[in-house]
Amino acid sequence: MHEITISYEDILKPYVKDALARLGYIFPELDLVSSGSGIRVRSSNPFDELALKKEIRYALYRSKIRAEGAQNRAALYSSVFGK
Amino acid sequence: MIQMQISSEFPPISQPMVFRLRTIIPKDPQELDNCDAVLISEEDHFSEFDLQGFSIRLKLENVHDFDGDVILAVPGRKSVHRLVRSQSKHNTFLVTEQCDQKCVMCSQPPKKHHQDLFDCFLDAVRLAPIGATIGISGGEPMLHKDRLFHFLIKSQKLRPDVRFHILTNGQHFTSGDQRTLSLLDLRSILWGIPIYSADAEIHDRIVAKTGAHEVLLQNLAFLGSVGGLIELRTVLLRSNVQGLASLADHITTFQPFAHYWAIMQLENIGYGRMNWAGEFYDNSVAFDPIAKSIDLATARGIPPSLFNFPLCTVPDDYRPNCFASISDWKQKFIHECRGCALRSTCGGFFEWYPEDNGFSRIAAQ
Amino acid sequence: MKIWPLQFRSIDSSHMVFTDDTGKFFKASTKFLERYATENLSVDDTIFLQQNGHAFLNFDDFQFVGFASRWINRVSPVGDLKYVILVPTLRCDLKCDYCQVSRVAKKARGFDWSEATLRQVISFLSNLSPTEVKIEFQGGEPLLRLDILKTIRSFCRQRFKQAEFVVCTNLQEVSDEAWEFLSADDTQISTSFDGTNHHHQKRRTISDTQQESFEENLGLALARFGSEKVSALPTIDPLDPPEPSELISNYASKGFRTIFLRKVNFQGFARKKYSFEGADRHWEAFYRQFIEELITYNMTADKPVEEFYLSHILRRIVRSGHHNHVDLRNPNWLGKDYVVIDHDGKLYPTDEARMISRVGQIDLSVGDLENGLDAETLHSLNSEASNFDDPDCVHCVYKPYCGPDVVDDLSRYGRIDLPRHETDHCQRHMFLFDLAFELIFSENLAVQKSLANWLDISEFNQRLAPVLS
């Protein structure tokens, strides 16, 4: 069993759940869980740690950007399609 | 030059009025309007018309060239003004000579006095040829916004086929205009609005009004979002030429709703003449900043038109952007144009273009 | 300052491309991503984001309205039906190796429009509301039914203010009467030419006599009408492609300025015949090599040449409001602005839909001439017409330029809910968009020269490739 825990800044904490849902679907072969201030990755096969770290970070960023953009997008839609 | 002012002998009037010249009497008398002046006789260069029993004598070169024209007469003036030429695409109503900006290139420097001619303009619209486009200009027409909107609403009711091209500095829209604008058929009104730079400081300096740029951007956004057709107009100057590519970037980013962008050469008249030495940019020797702006805006989907650029001053690749924009009544061709193969598609020069102090490279093609 | 959400993707080890929902893009270092995502933007960052249209201060300020306007321009509007593809016959005088359309033999019976069908087509056309129309005659080989083509064309000319016609023909046998028909100003010719005579003969004409007759007819068409009126597409087998330089020079020497490379389609008879193991990798390698050769060719060419689909993609990246190609737009409305009428009077949303249905895999017809368009079927197809809310696409940096292809997904997988990145459509387009951005951010002058031509401008401009440094 291969295992690492990838840490993230506090600012990203609210987006972990969303990011994990997405990562689980992109990497069905990995077992991903939130643990303390990190994301624990387990797999029966070896994986590229560096690349995975990056993917996980990017997934957190994407979730954060999407969540934070929601209000702007809502304003955009209401300005375009009417209130 | 095409005759715009006409010497006349006219019964005394107390109000400005318009009438239409009819040199060919329609078979069906129903086609005659109350404002039609019908040709009675031609003698000694003077043509006599009958308007509701009054005689009007006009000094005309060839009377039949004037059939269908709409004429404006103002009390106290000896000559009358040819307001709508039925055979021309360039008919403009000068709404006012007042203006709140004082642009360095202004061809029609502002005056304080204002005479309201909107009632006459409404008659003129009614009498205009089918499908005419009427230019509305100034001064700043929107200084008399209530009267202007009222005129437009009535005009569109009377003549839904007539299109308007309104030249305004875009300073006077407010969000409260939304309701009024919704009463208009905005598809047949083109708003020609100048923007000189993406840099607020440079724009404000060119129009001599602090804060103008900020108001302009906000109002363009307003007009764009209510669905107004917008033609952005940029007069090429030495003070904005280096920022022209930035302006192209700005327009395609923030005014993507603009339907047209016209880049215009300077006209040597009014303040434009006063500031010619400092502001005329000779594109015949250095076209690059314009080329870059055209390339950028075209790639982004707003291909600019070049107004008032003689074809020979523009490199081949960009000639398709040129538009023969100089109105026939103020257009000329110069000595160098003799034998030029492009003359029929070229806009030529303004009547007041200074041949000894203009483009350095003019050559028959 | 509020920043519009940015999507991102690595383009090399230290740089990324960023896009907003309007397709405004820029290149920046991966460090910018850290600053952006962790809310540590520098002053320069914020100035750049504002100037490039990615930010605003207040709802309804000019930056907001500019963004909204660019966004609206990205949405392809639902247009009136004014483009109709007609299949008057399924019969064909060729039996191409990879026939895209499932044809039948020239002498087969029962694969042409009947008199009644023709009448129904005319009545269908007469009920269209626009004043202009574009008719594309497909087949089979439509010239086998010149009589029908004539009837339809005369009808459209009198019914519509403006009518254009395209005849998609193999140019195999063209009678005097057919030449006469094709010579009209409102009629275009579209044909196939697989890039080299060798490839064309191998896959299509087979015999020397047939090949000679095709070459002669293509030559005649170009000599008589020029390349403004005649277009050709090469179908490419990724496992046996022509030499790109040879393909380009063969097309260019005939006066063609546009080459639309078509990978042999995973449909029709082709599906039965070929194994496609690894074909995608071969295709990508070929495509890339082709574009490189094209750029080299254009460096010195008087008349530069484009690959149609790459140009379409580049234009969609650089400008909004570019919806004129139905293969890639968003939303990709089906059965709205164009429709296919098959040889048996059935209606299809696309030509691909017709082909898949013909192989019997799935029925994608959306009605027939008898009963008109089937609103219910169309509604369900169009429920997935856009990528706006697709859970994968929402995070994709190329979302503003892309668009879904429901028919392709259905044809390959029988379903439309696959993870995007597992679909052929997504993979193919990721490759193309990556390539497009590689070109846009290239500093190579030869690349920029081609780019300028493909974007319809005289010179490429650095401002078209904004970089946040």
Side-chain angles (χ1 to χ4, degrees), chain C residues 162-273:
Chain C
Q162 213 193 328
E164 286 175 62
F165 307 89
V166 184
V167 182
C168 300
T169 167
N170 58 25
L171 287 179
Q172 206 52 53
E173 279 174 46
V174 186
S175 64
D176 289 346
E177 212 186 343
W179 281 120
E180 178 61 32
F181 180 85
L182 294 171
S183 69
D185 283 343
D186 58 4
T187 304
Q188 301 265 327
I189 300 168
S190 171
T191 191
S192 296
F193 168 51
D194 285 351
T196 69
N197 290 338
H198 165 75
H199 284 83
H200 196 83
Q201 181 165 357
K202 188 170 161 199
R203 302 290 184 210
R204 292 181 185 271
T205 51
I206 313 294
S207 78
D208 287 350
T209 23
Q210 298 242 70
Q211 176 64 19
E212 275 161 29
S213 122
F214 165 74
E215 285 173 35
E216 190 186 327
N217 285 332
L218 179 58
L220 267 174
L222 286 163
R224 282 187 70 175
F225 312 126
S227 59
E228 302 80 53
K229 210 178 121 100
V230 183
S231 63
L233 317 174
T235 301
I236 307 290
D237 173 1
L239 301 177
D240 176 26
E243 199 54 49
S245 56
E246 204 181 340
L247 197 170
I248 294 164
S249 67
N250 282 345
Y251 263 75
S253 64
K254 291 181 166 56
F256 293 120
R257 305 286 302 275
T258 285
I259 305 175
F260 188 176
L261 293 181
R262 307 277 289 204
K263 181 169 66 164
V264 72
N265 211 339
F266 200 17
Q267 280 159 16
F269 290 165
R271 169 162 297 179
K272 298 181 184 163
K273 181 149 182 170

Side-chain angles (χ1 to χ4, degrees), chain C residues 86-92 101-106 108 110-113 137-146 148-149 341-344 354:
Chain C
L86 301 177
V87 184
T89 178
L90 210 58
R91 294 179 299 116
C92 185
V101 287
S102 316
R103 40 75 75 190
V104 297
K106 188 179 173 185
F111 293 95
D112 289 24
W113 284 353
F137 296 108
Q138 276 276 6
E141 170 51 44
L143 288 184
L144 292 178
R145 291 308 304 268
L146 194 59
I148 293 182
L149 270 52
I341 305 181
D342 203 2
H343 72 98
D344 55 3
R354 172 173 74 99

Side-chain angles (χ1 to χ4, degrees), chain B residues 253-254, chain C residues 24-26 47-54 70 466:
Chain B
T253 303
F254 299 114
Chain C
K24 264 281 197 178
F25 62 88
F26 61 94
I47 292 172
F48 177 89
L49 290 173
Q50 289 215 49
Q51 278 181 347
N52 210 39
H54 306 292
R70 298 199 310 271

Side-chain angles (χ1 to χ4, degrees), chain A residues 4-80:
Chain A
I4 53 164
T5 298
I6 293 163
S7 60
Y8 50 78
E9 292 93 327
D10 279 352
I11 199 172
L12 298 170
K13 196 168 182 77
Y15 311 103
V16 170
K17 208 174 147 197
D18 184 64
L20 279 181
R22 194 167 158 69
L23 284 163
Y25 145 99
I26 298 173
F27 302 107
E29 70 281 11
L30 300 179
D31 173 37
L32 298 151
V33 288
S34 171
S35 93
S37 64
I39 291 174
R40 197 190 63 207
V41 186
R42 275 198 231 167
S43 167
S44 45
N45 297 316
F47 50 80
D48 179 343
E49 253 183 54
L50 226 63
L52 192 65
K53 263 187 190 164
K54 204 161 82 176
E55 282 305 323
I56 288 177
R57 266 198 103 66
Y58 288 177
L60 285 167
Y61 290 168
R62 287 192 174 105
S63 293
K64 175 172 186 278
I65 291 164
R66 182 153 178 81
E68 286 177 345
Q71 198 197 351
N72 290 350
R73 283 200 173 103
L76 171 72
Y77 296 157
S78 80
S79 111
V80 170

Side-chain angles (χ1 to χ4, degrees), chain B residues 71-365:
Chain B
I71 307 295
L72 171 70
V74 175
R77 278 193 217 157
K78 278 216 176 118
S79 62
V80 294
H81 177 69
R82 212 173 162 193
L83 195 56
V84 178
R85 285 184 294 138
S86 66
Q87 297 306 315
S88 173
K89 287 177 191 159
H90 308 282
N91 290 302
T92 298
F93 298 172
L94 186 79
V95 162
T96 184
E97 293 188 271
Q98 296 169 325
C99 191
D100 55 313
Q101 294 189 163
K102 217 171 160 185
C103 305
V104 297
M105 83 306 291
C106 183
S107 58
Q108 194 100 32
K111 292 181 185 158
K112 285 214 170 111
H113 177 72
H114 172 68
Q115 181 177 23
D116 186 318
L117 292 171
F118 278 110
D119 293 340
C120 290
F121 294 152
L122 188 59
D123 280 333
V125 167
R126 181 168 52 83
L127 300 169
I130 300 293
T133 294
I134 304 287
I136 302 289
S137 176
E140 173 46 48
M142 290 281 286
L143 286 177
H144 304 277
K145 172 164 100 168
D146 292 347
R147 288 285 285 152
L148 176 68
F149 284 158
H150 181 76
F151 158 79
L152 290 171
I153 290 168
K154 284 204 146 176
S155 293
Q156 289 194 331
K157 269 206 187 110
L158 280 172
R159 289 292 303 275
D161 61 305
V162 170
R163 308 177 77 85
F164 293 94
H165 185 195
I166 303 176
L167 298 185
T168 168
N169 60 26
Q171 295 290 303
H172 305 283
F173 290 99
T174 60
S175 53
D177 294 332
Q178 185 159 1
R179 217 188 69 83
T180 317
L181 289 171
S182 72
L183 300 174
L184 291 169
D185 175 11
L186 291 178
R187 289 165 308 174
S188 59
I189 300 174
L190 180 64
W191 304 87
I193 302 178
I195 180 165
Y196 297 111
S197 177
D199 182 326
E201 210 177 300
I202 292 175
H203 178 93
D204 288 359
R205 207 183 316 137
I206 289 170
V207 304
K209 185 177 165 187
T210 311
H213 191 257
E214 193 185 338
V215 174
L216 174 64
L217 297 188
Q218 197 55 45
N219 286 352
L220 283 173
F222 165 72
L223 192 55
S225 59
V226 300
L229 300 184
I230 297 175
E231 172 197 58
L232 293 172
R233 297 161 74 93
T234 305
V235 175
L236 183 66
L237 299 165
R238 279 205 208 171
S239 48
N240 69 0
V241 65
Q242 294 317 324
L244 201 62
S246 295
L247 182 57
D249 215 346
H250 185 279
I251 287 172
T252 51
T253 303
F254 299 114
Q255 286 88 35
F257 43 77
H259 288 71
Y260 309 99
W261 180 27
I263 301 172
M264 311 166 74
Q265 246 305 357
L266 185 60
E267 195 174 341
N268 185 275
I269 198 165
Y271 293 157
R273 177 173 299 165
M274 221 164 76
N275 295 313
W276 184 263
E279 290 291 10
F280 174 71
Y281 177 79
D282 184 357
N283 61 271
S284 72
V285 291
F287 195 76
D288 197 49
I290 306 155
K292 283 200 159 62
S293 314
I294 294 175
D295 286 336
L296 180 62
T298 304
R300 296 244 178 96
I302 307 181
S305 308
L306 297 178
F307 284 12
N308 317 339
F309 285 70
L311 288 175
C312 59
T313 70
V314 173
D316 276 351
D317 282 353
Y318 300 94
R319 286 184 187 168
N321 295 77
C322 291
F323 186 79
S325 50
I326 300 177
S327 309
D328 49 5
W329 61 272
K330 49 181 182 178
Q331 176 195 42
K332 74 173 175 189
F333 287 94
I334 61 177
H335 178 75
E336 285 89 335
C337 303
R338 254 186 264 166
C340 177
L342 297 178
R343 192 167 159 149
S344 64
T345 51
C346 184
F349 299 83
F350 284 107
E351 178 63 32
W352 29 84
Y353 165 74
E355 288 171 47
D356 47 359
N357 193 15
F359 300 102
S360 43
R361 288 188 197 158
I362 296 292
Q365 303 289 299

Side-chain angles (χ1 to χ4, degrees), chain C residues 135-161:
Chain C
I135 302 285
E136 183 177 314
F137 296 108
Q138 276 276 6
E141 170 51 44
L143 288 184
L144 292 178
R145 291 308 304 268
L146 194 59
D147 57 323
I148 293 182
L149 270 52
K150 281 182 175 172
T151 308
I152 296 283
R153 189 171 73 178
S154 330
F155 170 76
C156 289
R157 281 176 176 169
Q158 54 90 15
R159 162 67 181 74
F160 298 97
K161 233 185 200 163

